[in-house]
Amino acid sequence: MNICIYGASGDRLDAAYFEAARALGRELGRRGHSLLFGGGAHGLMGACAEGAAETGAEIVGIAPRFFDEPGVLFAGCTRFVWTESMRERKAAMEDGADAFVVLPGGIGTLEEFFETLTLKQLGLHGKPIALLNTRGYFDALRALLEQAAEGGFMSRGCLKLCAFCAEPEEALGYVETAEPLTGGLTRLEDYTK
């Protein structure tokens, strides 16, 4: 399975986030999966790639050519897919993935998550999406989504389109066993029960 991860690129984070990201990469590799990611050498992206590299997993970095600067990209990638823009990069990641695991991150990570979730809600893909909720990072996001559903801003079925997982093993277990979603908007009510 090609598992795409989204996550922070910054390095000034609590050590617990790095430990969880490395553990995810190691477990991903132990389970025989490939890592697909934005190619960054730093932050949680880099930590996850380091963990995957420890197990000899295939690591596919996808990055725009303007990121090809010393120290920016993870040198241990099995291969790189080069794009001309950030939009092409994101599309290549979405297309190449069988599943998504979202690590804590800032606005770029949240944007990637919401686009992936929206595409699933529209029926344009049925791939599983897990959020690795290290130290409760995504608790406020989960509350916001629940508030949006409660207020009628989105279907309650949308809450079933992703899973919030406390540990790397739980996130991988979810994406490995989740039933693929098929159909479009009209099928969302099937998931409200």
Side-chain angles (χ1 to χ4, degrees):
M1 178 179 269
N2 294 323
I3 298 178
C4 177
I5 64 119
Y6 300 134
S9 60
D11 282 329
R12 297 187 323 183
L13 308 172
D14 188 275
Y17 295 110
F18 289 101
E19 291 166 14
R22 280 189 198 90
L24 176 69
R26 281 192 297 271
E27 188 63 22
L28 181 149
R30 280 190 202 113
R31 295 181 184 212
H33 301 303
S34 298
L35 172 64
L36 190 69
F37 79 125
H42 302 284
L44 303 187
M45 283 193 293
C48 186
E50 289 169 4
E54 289 175 21
T55 65
E58 180 184 29
I59 302 170
V60 180
I62 301 178
R65 289 219 175 260
F66 60 82
F67 276 9
D68 194 11
E69 298 283 335
V72 172
L73 298 173
F74 184 69
C77 287
T78 310
R79 66 184 171 94
F80 254 99
V81 175
W82 298 106
T83 66
E84 295 304 314
S85 70
M86 293 294 280
R87 285 185 176 149
E88 288 177 18
R89 173 201 203 190
K90 191 166 48 175
M93 292 169 72
E94 291 166 355
D95 291 343
D98 298 311
F100 302 89
V101 177
V102 184
L103 304 173
I107 57 173
T109 301
L110 293 171
E111 187 271 335
E112 290 166 330
F113 162 68
F114 275 114
E115 180 167 327
T116 303
L117 183 67
T118 300
L119 293 174
K120 186 170 182 178
Q121 185 254 341
L122 292 171
L124 299 176
H125 77 79
K127 302 169 185 179
I129 305 167
L131 294 96
L132 182 55
N133 196 22
T134 305
R135 297 186 68 186
Y137 182 83
F138 289 116
D139 287 351
L141 175 62
R142 179 175 13 203
L144 176 63
L145 293 174
E146 289 170 356
Q147 178 183 346
E150 186 67 29
F153 293 96
M154 68 182 207
S155 164
R156 288 208 64 80
C158 289
L159 298 172
K160 305 273 186 181
L161 299 179
C162 62
F164 292 82
C165 303
E167 300 294 333
E169 296 81 6
E170 181 186 358
L172 290 173
Y174 172 78
V175 299
E176 289 169 340
T177 60
E179 291 291 323
L181 178 65
T182 58
L185 290 171
T186 57
R187 290 196 36 91
L188 286 178
E189 294 309 313
D190 295 344
Y191 294 89
T192 60
K193 299 172 179 138

